[in-house]
Amino acid sequence: MTLIIKMAVKWNFRCACWGFISSLLASVLLTYCFSPQDYIQRLADGVAAVLLGISSLIAFHISTLRCSESHTLTTLLLSYKWHQGERLATPSILAKINHMWKHPREAQEDLIRELTSRHAKTENGRKNRLGEIQSVEDLRKKHPLTTYDHYRDYIQRLADGEEGVFLDEEPVRFGVTSGTTGAGKKIPLVSFWLEGDALCKQIRRLAVYQGAHRPSPVQKRRFFYIHPKISLTKTGRVISPYMFIKQEDTKRLSELSSPPPAFTITNEPSAVYIHMLFAIADTNLALLSTMFTPQMYRALKCLETNWQAMLEDLSTGQINAKIPLDPDIRRSLQRYLRLDKARVFQLRREFEKGFHGILKRIWPHLVAIEGIDIMGFKKKLEEKFSYGVPCFSWGYGNTEVGHLAINMWLHEKELRYAPCSHMAVLEFIPEQNSSDEDPKTLLIDEVEVGGRYELVLTMRSGLYRYRNGDVIQIVGFHENCPVMRMLYRSGEYLNLVYEKVNTQVVDAAIKNTIQGWPGIQLVDWTCAESPVYDPESSELYYIVFLEVDPDKRELNEVTEEQRSKFDEHLQQEHVYYSGLRGSNTISPAQLKFVRTSTFLELRDFRVAMTTTSVMQYKTPRKLRTQEHVNWMMERVIEIK
C-alpha cells in the first residue's frame, strides 16, 4: 500500500494513467466513428479520438522519461513542448549554423543587407546613407567607425518615445551594460535582436549537450538569478541588465527548479539560499547554470554553510526565519515546498560525508555546470564540489550584441569561440593599429591565425561599426570561420607614459609571482595608476591590489624579495615597461594585499553606485577614480 501511494505522486505514474485513460477514450470514440450517426457527429468523434490519441502518446512518452517531481501539469507540458520541439529542430539548427561557419562572408553579406534595409529610412540611416550600403565592403568604405557617443542622443530620444530615430521598430526593452570600463550604457533591444539571440542560445544548449549528453525534456535546470534593479523610460519601457527574467516568461520559468516568486528576490544572499533550497529538493536536476563561475562557487559555499538549515526547511515546509524575505514572497515560496522525508534523509547522509564531489552524490543525473569562467573559479569548482561533473564555459557576448560566439570545444582546456555570423558583422582592427586615428579594418575572411585584433561590430541593436573595446586573438578556423579567444578590454590598459600594458600581461605576471608562494591562492585582483591615487606626486608606478587565500598569516612568510618578483615578471612580459623601468621613468610596481572579502565588498559598492547588477558584474581590472583607489587602500593589510 505504501509503495502504491508513493508511486501515485510520481509524474511517471500519473502520465502512464493519463495515457491509458486517453487511449481508452480514443478507442471508444473511434468505434462511434463507424456507427450510423450523422456526418458531423462522426467527424467530431473522429477529431476527438485523434486528439486523445496524440495526448496518450505524449503521456506515455513522458511516463518513460526522467522527470523532476516539482513540476505542475502546466510546467511539465510547457517544458516538454519546448525541449522536445528543440530536439526535433536540432538538424535544422545545426544545418543553419554549419552553413554560416562554412560560408562566413556570405552570412555577413546577408546580414548587412538585412540591417541596412531595415534602418535606411531612419534619421541615422539617412545621415550615414545606409541605403547605399549593400555589402560589407561598402560598409567598410562608407560608414565611419563609431563609439557609444555617436548613438547616445539617438538612444535617449528613442527612450523618450521618438520614432524613426535609428531603428525600424520599437524596442522591447533597454539593456544596460555593466560599466566595467566606464559608465553603463543603454542599449535598445528589439525583436530582431531577440530573435537572433534566441538562436544563439539554442546553439549554446546544443554545444552543452554535445559536450555531455542531452537531459530529459522534463528534467529541471537550476539557474542562479538575482532580480536586478530596474528603471523605466518615459514611455514605460524597462531598463535592465541583459539577464532579466519576467514573471510572464512562462516558457523560461517552466524548466527552472525555483518557483516564479524566487525570481523576484533582489537580495543576493536570500536569492542564493532560495535557489539552492529548491535545487537540492530535486534529485533529478539536470543542469546548474549561472552567468559567471564565481557566482556558482559562492552558491555552493552557501550550501556548504547552510545545509542543516535548508534540510530543516525541507522537513517543515517553512523557510528559515533568518533569511530576509518580503512576507508575501515568503508565503508564496512556502506553498511550493514539498515535504519529502526520504529526500531529506538522503541529503543529510551525503552532506555529513563532506562536500568533496558533492554534486554527483546529491544529483546523480546532473549533466553539467554551465557558466563563463573568470578568475579560475572553474578549477576551484572542480577541485572541491564538481568532481565527476563537467564544468563548461559556454561562450562570449555582451549586452550590445547578445551571444556573439559559442564554445564548441567544451572539454578543451583553452577556451575558444566560434562566432555566430548572424548576430553581427565583424571587422577586426590589428592590435598595433588600434590607437590610430582612423585604423583600417579586416573582414572575417581576411584575418590570420595568431593575429590579435580589436573587434568592430555592426549589430542587430542598430549600432554600426561599433568599437566596444574587446581585444581577441584568432587561434584557428572552424570550417572556414575564424575561431577566437578573448584577451582583454582596451579600456583597461595601464598607461603611465606610452607603454600600454594590457590586463592580460598583468594577470600573467601576478600568477607567475604567486606560483612561488606555497599554500597561497589568488582570489582576485585589480590595479591603478599612481596619478589617480596621488595626483600631486611626480613619481609614476602601478598599484596592484591582491586578495589571496589564506591571507595574513601565510603572507607574513612571503619575503620582500619574493614580492618584488612581480615587477620582474612584468618587465619580462612587456618590453616597453621594461625599458621605462630601466630608465627609471617608472618606479617599481607596488603590491598591496587586502583583507578577506574585499572584492565582494567592492562588488557590492560598485553595484550600489552604478548601473551594473550582481549577475553581470565583473571585477574592474583598472580603477579609474581616486574614490575607488582610496576605498581599496583603506582595506590594505600590513605585512611584516
Side-chain angles (χ1 to χ4, degrees), residues 474-538:
I474 303 300
V475 295
F477 284 84
H478 179 59
E479 302 293 355
N480 297 313
C481 187
V483 174
M484 61 191 188
R485 69 183 180 101
M486 177 68 184
L487 295 180
Y488 60 90
R489 304 293 303 275
S490 60
E492 294 187 319
Y493 275 126
L494 288 174
N495 193 34
L496 290 169
V497 186
Y498 57 73
E499 70 279 16
K500 290 187 177 178
V501 177
N502 66 61
T503 53
Q504 183 190 26
V505 169
V506 179
D507 185 65
I510 290 171
K511 289 175 179 175
N512 287 335
T513 303
I514 289 181
Q515 281 179 358
W517 302 352
I520 291 177
Q521 289 187 332
L522 177 66
V523 173
D524 214 337
W525 67 270
T526 190
C527 58
E529 297 157 345
S530 59
V532 176
Y533 172 57
D534 187 2
E536 302 301 322
S537 174
S538 60

Coordinates of all heavy atoms in Angstrom, one line a residue, residues 474-538:
I474 N 42.9 35.4 -32.9 CA 42.5 34.3 -33.8 C 43.4 33.1 -33.5 O 44.6 33.2 -33.7 CB 42.5 34.7 -35.3 CG1 41.7 36.0 -35.5 CG2 42.0 33.5 -36.1 CD1 40.2 35.8 -35.1
V475 N 42.7 32.0 -33.1 CA 43.5 30.8 -32.7 C 43.3 29.6 -33.7 O 43.9 28.6 -33.5 CB 43.2 30.4 -31.3 CG1 43.6 31.4 -30.3 CG2 41.7 30.0 -31.1
G476 N 42.5 29.8 -34.7 CA 42.3 28.7 -35.7 C 41.1 29.0 -36.5 O 40.5 30.1 -36.5
F477 N 40.6 28.0 -37.2 CA 39.4 28.1 -38.0 C 38.5 26.9 -37.8 O 39.1 25.8 -37.6 CB 39.8 28.2 -39.5 CG 40.3 29.5 -39.9 CD1 41.6 29.9 -39.8 CD2 39.4 30.5 -40.4 CE1 42.1 31.1 -40.2 CE2 39.9 31.8 -40.8 CZ 41.2 32.1 -40.7
H478 N 37.3 27.1 -37.8 CA 36.3 26.0 -37.7 C 35.5 26.1 -39.0 O 34.8 27.1 -39.3 CB 35.3 26.2 -36.5 CG 34.3 25.2 -36.4 ND1 34.6 23.8 -36.3 CD2 32.9 25.2 -36.4 CE1 33.4 23.1 -36.2 NE2 32.4 24.0 -36.3
E479 N 35.6 25.0 -39.8 CA 35.1 25.1 -41.2 C 36.0 26.2 -41.8 O 37.2 26.2 -41.9 CB 33.6 25.3 -41.3 CG 32.8 24.2 -40.6 CD 32.9 22.9 -41.3 OE1 33.5 22.7 -42.3 OE2 32.3 21.9 -40.7
N480 N 35.3 27.3 -42.3 CA 36.0 28.5 -42.8 C 35.9 29.7 -42.0 O 36.3 30.8 -42.4 CB 35.5 28.8 -44.2 CG 35.7 27.6 -45.2 OD1 36.8 27.1 -45.3 ND2 34.7 27.2 -45.9
C481 N 35.4 29.5 -40.8 CA 35.1 30.6 -39.9 C 36.3 30.8 -38.8 O 36.7 29.8 -38.2 CB 33.8 30.4 -39.2 SG 33.2 31.8 -38.2
P482 N 36.8 32.0 -38.7 CA 37.8 32.2 -37.6 C 37.3 31.9 -36.2 O 36.2 32.2 -35.9 CB 38.2 33.6 -37.8 CG 37.1 34.3 -38.4 CD 36.4 33.2 -39.3
V483 N 38.2 31.2 -35.5 CA 37.9 30.9 -34.1 C 38.7 31.8 -33.2 O 39.9 32.0 -33.5 CB 38.2 29.4 -33.8 CG1 38.0 29.1 -32.3 CG2 37.3 28.5 -34.6
M484 N 38.2 32.4 -32.1 CA 38.9 33.4 -31.4 C 38.9 33.1 -29.9 O 38.1 32.3 -29.4 CB 38.3 34.8 -31.6 CG 36.8 34.9 -31.2 SD 36.1 36.4 -31.8 CE 34.5 36.4 -31.0
R485 N 39.8 33.7 -29.2 CA 39.7 33.7 -27.7 C 39.8 35.2 -27.2 O 40.5 36.0 -27.9 CB 40.9 32.9 -27.1 CG 42.3 33.4 -27.3 CD 43.3 32.4 -26.7 NE 44.7 32.9 -26.9 CZ 45.4 33.5 -25.9 NH1 44.8 33.6 -24.7 NH2 46.6 33.9 -26.1
M486 N 39.2 35.4 -26.1 CA 39.1 36.8 -25.6 C 40.5 37.1 -24.8 O 41.0 36.2 -24.1 CB 38.0 36.9 -24.6 CG 37.9 38.2 -23.9 SD 37.4 39.5 -24.9 CE 37.5 40.9 -23.8
L487 N 41.0 38.3 -25.1 CA 42.3 38.6 -24.4 C 42.0 39.7 -23.3 O 42.3 39.4 -22.1 CB 43.3 39.2 -25.4 CG 43.8 38.2 -26.5 CD1 44.8 38.9 -27.4 CD2 44.4 37.0 -25.9
Y488 N 41.6 40.8 -23.7 CA 41.4 41.9 -22.7 C 40.5 43.0 -23.2 O 40.1 43.0 -24.4 CB 42.8 42.5 -22.2 CG 43.6 43.1 -23.4 CD1 43.4 44.4 -23.7 CD2 44.4 42.3 -24.1 CE1 44.1 45.0 -24.7 CE2 45.2 42.9 -25.2 CZ 45.0 44.2 -25.5 OH 45.7 44.8 -26.5
R489 N 40.2 44.0 -22.4 CA 39.5 45.2 -22.8 C 40.5 46.3 -23.0 O 41.3 46.6 -22.1 CB 38.5 45.6 -21.7 CG 37.5 44.5 -21.3 CD 36.5 44.2 -22.4 NE 35.7 45.3 -22.9 CZ 34.6 45.7 -22.4 NH1 34.1 45.2 -21.3 NH2 34.0 46.7 -22.9
S490 N 40.4 47.0 -24.2 CA 41.3 48.0 -24.4 C 41.1 49.2 -23.5 O 42.1 50.0 -23.2 CB 41.2 48.5 -25.9 OG 39.9 49.0 -26.1
G491 N 40.0 49.3 -22.9 CA 39.7 50.4 -21.9 C 40.4 50.1 -20.6 O 40.3 51.0 -19.7
E492 N 41.0 49.0 -20.4 CA 41.7 48.7 -19.1 C 43.2 48.6 -19.3 O 43.9 48.0 -18.5 CB 41.1 47.4 -18.6 CG 39.7 47.4 -18.2 CD 39.1 46.2 -17.5 OE1 39.5 45.1 -17.9 OE2 38.4 46.4 -16.6
Y493 N 43.7 49.3 -20.2 CA 45.2 49.5 -20.3 C 45.7 50.2 -19.1 O 45.1 51.1 -18.6 CB 45.5 50.4 -21.5 CG 45.6 49.7 -22.9 CD1 44.9 50.1 -24.0 CD2 46.5 48.6 -23.1 CE1 45.0 49.5 -25.2 CE2 46.6 48.0 -24.3 CZ 45.9 48.5 -25.4 OH 46.0 47.9 -26.6
L494 N 46.9 49.8 -18.7 CA 47.7 50.7 -17.8 C 48.7 51.5 -18.7 O 49.4 50.9 -19.5 CB 48.5 49.8 -16.8 CG 47.7 49.1 -15.7 CD1 48.5 48.2 -14.9 CD2 47.0 50.1 -14.8
N495 N 48.7 52.8 -18.5 CA 49.5 53.6 -19.4 C 49.9 54.9 -18.7 O 49.2 55.9 -18.8 CB 48.6 53.9 -20.7 CG 49.5 54.5 -21.8 OD1 50.7 54.1 -21.9 ND2 48.9 55.5 -22.5
L496 N 51.1 54.8 -18.1 CA 51.7 56.0 -17.4 C 52.4 56.9 -18.4 O 52.4 58.1 -18.1 CB 52.6 55.5 -16.3 CG 51.9 54.8 -15.1 CD1 53.0 54.2 -14.2 CD2 51.1 55.8 -14.3
V497 N 53.1 56.3 -19.4 CA 53.9 57.2 -20.3 C 53.4 56.9 -21.7 O 52.6 57.7 -22.3 CB 55.4 56.9 -20.2 CG1 56.2 57.8 -21.1 CG2 55.8 57.0 -18.7
Y498 N 53.8 55.7 -22.3 CA 53.3 55.3 -23.6 C 53.3 53.8 -23.7 O 53.0 53.2 -24.8 CB 54.3 55.8 -24.7 CG 55.7 55.4 -24.5 CD1 56.1 54.1 -24.8 CD2 56.7 56.3 -24.1 CE1 57.4 53.7 -24.6 CE2 58.0 56.0 -23.9 CZ 58.4 54.7 -24.2 OH 59.7 54.3 -24.0
E499 N 53.4 53.1 -22.6 CA 53.7 51.7 -22.6 C 52.5 50.8 -22.9 O 52.6 49.7 -23.5 CB 54.3 51.2 -21.2 CG 53.4 51.3 -20.0 CD 53.2 52.6 -19.4 OE1 53.6 53.6 -20.0 OE2 52.7 52.7 -18.3
K500 N 51.3 51.2 -22.5 CA 50.0 50.5 -22.7 C 50.2 49.0 -22.4 O 50.1 48.1 -23.2 CB 49.6 50.6 -24.2 CG 49.2 52.0 -24.6 CD 48.6 52.0 -26.0 CE 48.1 53.4 -26.3 NZ 47.5 53.5 -27.7
V501 N 50.3 48.7 -21.1 CA 50.3 47.4 -20.6 C 48.9 46.9 -20.4 O 48.1 47.5 -19.6 CB 51.1 47.3 -19.2 CG1 51.0 45.9 -18.7 CG2 52.5 47.8 -19.4
N502 N 48.5 45.8 -21.1 CA 47.1 45.3 -21.0 C 47.0 44.4 -19.8 O 48.0 43.9 -19.3 CB 46.7 44.7 -22.3 CG 47.4 43.4 -22.6 OD1 47.4 42.5 -21.9 ND2 48.1 43.4 -23.8
T503 N 45.7 44.2 -19.4 CA 45.5 43.4 -18.2 C 45.8 42.0 -18.3 O 46.1 41.3 -17.3 CB 44.0 43.5 -17.8 OG1 43.2 43.2 -18.9 CG2 43.7 45.0 -17.4
Q504 N 45.9 41.4 -19.5 CA 46.4 40.1 -19.7 C 47.8 39.9 -19.3 O 48.2 38.9 -18.6 CB 46.2 39.7 -21.2 CG 46.6 38.2 -21.5 CD 46.7 37.9 -23.0 OE1 47.0 38.8 -23.8 NE2 46.4 36.7 -23.4
V505 N 48.6 40.9 -19.6 CA 50.0 40.9 -19.1 C 50.1 41.0 -17.6 O 50.9 40.2 -17.0 CB 50.8 42.1 -19.8 CG1 52.2 42.2 -19.2 CG2 50.9 41.8 -21.3
V506 N 49.3 41.9 -17.0 CA 49.4 42.0 -15.6 C 48.9 40.7 -14.9 O 49.5 40.2 -13.9 CB 48.5 43.2 -15.1 CG1 48.5 43.3 -13.6 CG2 48.9 44.5 -15.8
D507 N 47.9 40.1 -15.4 CA 47.3 38.8 -14.9 C 48.4 37.7 -14.9 O 48.6 37.0 -13.9 CB 46.1 38.4 -15.7 CG 45.4 37.2 -15.1 OD1 44.9 37.3 -14.0 OD2 45.4 36.1 -15.8
A508 N 49.1 37.6 -16.0 CA 50.2 36.6 -16.2 C 51.3 36.9 -15.2 O 51.8 35.9 -14.6 CB 50.7 36.6 -17.6
A509 N 51.7 38.1 -15.0 CA 52.7 38.4 -14.0 C 52.3 38.1 -12.6 O 53.1 37.6 -11.8 CB 53.1 39.9 -14.2
I510 N 51.1 38.4 -12.2 CA 50.6 38.1 -10.9 C 50.6 36.6 -10.7 O 51.1 36.1 -9.6 CB 49.1 38.6 -10.7 CG1 49.1 40.2 -10.7 CG2 48.5 38.1 -9.5 CD1 47.8 40.8 -10.7
K511 N 50.1 35.8 -11.6 CA 50.0 34.4 -11.4 C 51.4 33.7 -11.4 O 51.7 32.8 -10.6 CB 49.2 33.8 -12.5 CG 47.7 34.1 -12.4 CD 46.8 33.6 -13.5 CE 45.4 33.9 -13.3 NZ 44.5 33.6 -14.4
N512 N 52.3 34.2 -12.2 CA 53.7 33.7 -12.2 C 54.4 34.0 -10.9 O 55.2 33.2 -10.4 CB 54.5 34.3 -13.3 CG 54.1 33.7 -14.7 OD1 53.6 32.6 -14.8 ND2 54.3 34.5 -15.8
T513 N 54.0 35.2 -10.3 CA 54.6 35.6 -9.0 C 54.1 34.7 -7.8 O 54.8 34.1 -7.0 CB 54.3 37.0 -8.7 OG1 54.8 37.8 -9.7 CG2 54.9 37.5 -7.4
I514 N 52.8 34.5 -7.8 CA 52.1 33.8 -6.7 C 52.5 32.3 -6.8 O 52.5 31.6 -5.7 CB 50.6 34.0 -6.7 CG1 50.4 35.4 -6.3 CG2 49.9 33.0 -5.8 CD1 48.9 35.8 -6.2
Q515 N 52.8 31.8 -7.9 CA 53.2 30.3 -8.0 C 54.4 30.0 -7.1 O 54.5 28.9 -6.6 CB 53.6 30.0 -9.5 CG 52.5 29.8 -10.4 CD 52.9 29.5 -11.8 OE1 54.1 29.5 -12.1 NE2 52.0 29.2 -12.7
G516 N 55.2 31.0 -6.8 CA 56.3 30.8 -5.9 C 56.0 31.0 -4.4 O 56.9 30.9 -3.6
W517 N 54.8 31.1 -4.1 CA 54.4 31.3 -2.7 C 53.6 30.1 -2.2 O 52.4 30.0 -2.5 CB 53.5 32.6 -2.5 CG 54.1 33.9 -3.0 CD1 55.4 34.0 -3.4 CD2 53.5 35.1 -3.1 NE1 55.6 35.3 -3.7 CE2 54.5 36.0 -3.6 CE3 52.2 35.6 -2.9 CZ2 54.2 37.4 -3.8 CZ3 51.9 36.9 -3.1 CH2 52.9 37.8 -3.6
P518 N 54.2 29.2 -1.5 CA 53.5 27.9 -1.2 C 52.3 28.2 -0.3 O 52.3 29.0 0.6 CB 54.6 27.2 -0.4 CG 55.9 27.8 -0.8 CD 55.6 29.2 -1.1
G519 N 51.2 27.4 -0.6 CA 50.0 27.5 0.2 C 49.1 28.7 0.0 O 48.1 28.9 0.8
I520 N 49.4 29.5 -1.0 CA 48.6 30.7 -1.2 C 48.0 30.7 -2.6 O 48.6 30.4 -3.6 CB 49.5 32.0 -1.0 CG1 50.0 32.1 0.4 CG2 48.8 33.2 -1.5 CD1 50.9 33.3 0.7
Q521 N 46.6 31.0 -2.6 CA 45.9 31.0 -3.8 C 45.3 32.4 -4.1 O 44.9 33.1 -3.1 CB 44.7 30.0 -3.8 CG 45.2 28.6 -3.9 CD 44.0 27.6 -4.0 OE1 42.9 28.0 -3.6 NE2 44.2 26.5 -4.7
L522 N 45.4 32.8 -5.3 CA 44.8 34.1 -5.7 C 43.3 34.1 -5.7 O 42.7 33.1 -6.2 CB 45.3 34.5 -7.1 CG 44.8 35.8 -7.7 CD1 45.3 37.0 -6.9 CD2 45.2 36.0 -9.1
V523 N 42.7 35.1 -5.0 CA 41.2 35.2 -5.1 C 40.8 36.2 -6.1 O 40.0 35.9 -7.0 CB 40.7 35.7 -3.7 CG1 39.2 36.0 -3.8 CG2 40.9 34.6 -2.6
D524 N 41.4 37.4 -6.2 CA 41.0 38.4 -7.2 C 42.1 39.5 -7.1 O 42.9 39.6 -6.2 CB 39.6 38.9 -6.9 CG 38.9 39.3 -8.2 OD1 39.6 39.5 -9.3 OD2 37.7 39.3 -8.2
W525 N 42.0 40.3 -8.1 CA 43.0 41.5 -8.2 C 42.4 42.6 -9.0 O 41.5 42.4 -9.8 CB 44.3 41.1 -8.8 CG 44.3 40.7 -10.2 CD1 44.1 39.4 -10.8 CD2 44.5 41.6 -11.4 NE1 44.1 39.5 -12.1 CE2 44.4 40.8 -12.5 CE3 44.8 42.9 -11.5 CZ2 44.5 41.3 -13.8 CZ3 44.9 43.5 -12.8 CH2 44.8 42.7 -13.9
T526 N 42.9 43.8 -8.7 CA 42.7 45.0 -9.6 C 43.9 45.9 -9.4 O 44.8 45.6 -8.6 CB 41.4 45.7 -9.2 OG1 41.1 46.7 -10.1 CG2 41.5 46.4 -7.8
C527 N 44.0 46.9 -10.2 CA 45.1 47.8 -10.2 C 44.8 49.2 -10.5 O 43.6 49.5 -10.9 CB 46.2 47.3 -11.1 SG 45.7 47.1 -12.8
A528 N 45.7 50.1 -10.3 CA 45.5 51.5 -10.6 C 46.8 52.2 -11.0 O 47.9 51.6 -10.7 CB 44.9 52.2 -9.4
E529 N 46.8 53.3 -11.6 CA 48.0 54.1 -11.9 C 48.2 55.1 -10.8 O 47.2 55.7 -10.3 CB 47.8 54.8 -13.2 CG 47.6 53.9 -14.4 CD 46.9 54.4 -15.6 OE1 46.3 55.5 -15.5 OE2 47.0 53.8 -16.7
S530 N 49.4 55.4 -10.4 CA 49.7 56.2 -9.2 C 49.1 57.6 -9.3 O 48.7 58.2 -8.3 CB 51.2 56.3 -9.0 OG 51.9 56.8 -10.1
P531 N 49.1 58.3 -10.5 CA 48.5 59.6 -10.5 C 47.0 59.7 -10.1 O 46.5 60.7 -9.7 CB 48.7 60.0 -12.0 CG 49.8 59.2 -12.5 CD 49.7 57.9 -11.8
V532 N 46.3 58.6 -10.3 CA 44.9 58.5 -9.8 C 44.9 58.6 -8.3 O 44.0 59.3 -7.7 CB 44.2 57.3 -10.3 CG1 42.8 57.2 -9.8 CG2 44.2 57.3 -11.8
Y533 N 45.8 57.9 -7.6 CA 45.9 57.8 -6.2 C 46.4 59.1 -5.6 O 45.9 59.7 -4.6 CB 46.7 56.6 -5.8 CG 47.0 56.6 -4.3 CD1 45.9 56.5 -3.3 CD2 48.3 56.5 -3.8 CE1 46.2 56.5 -2.0 CE2 48.6 56.4 -2.5 CZ 47.5 56.4 -1.5 OH 47.8 56.3 -0.2
D534 N 47.5 59.6 -6.2 CA 48.2 60.8 -5.6 C 48.6 61.7 -6.8 O 49.7 61.7 -7.3 CB 49.5 60.3 -4.9 CG 50.2 61.5 -4.2 OD1 49.7 62.6 -4.2 OD2 51.2 61.2 -3.5
P535 N 47.7 62.5 -7.2 CA 47.9 63.4 -8.4 C 49.0 64.4 -8.2 O 49.5 65.0 -9.2 CB 46.6 64.0 -8.7 CG 45.8 63.9 -7.4 CD 46.3 62.7 -6.7
E536 N 49.4 64.7 -6.9 CA 50.4 65.7 -6.6 C 51.8 65.2 -6.8 O 52.7 66.0 -6.9 CB 50.2 66.3 -5.2 CG 48.8 66.9 -4.9 CD 48.5 68.0 -5.9 OE1 49.4 68.8 -6.2 OE2 47.3 68.1 -6.3
S537 N 52.0 63.9 -6.7 CA 53.3 63.3 -6.8 C 53.8 63.1 -8.2 O 53.0 62.8 -9.1 CB 53.3 61.9 -6.1 OG 54.5 61.3 -6.3
S538 N 55.1 63.3 -8.4 CA 55.7 63.2 -9.8 C 56.1 61.7 -10.0 O 56.5 61.4 -11.1 CB 56.8 64.1 -9.9 OG 57.8 63.8 -9.0

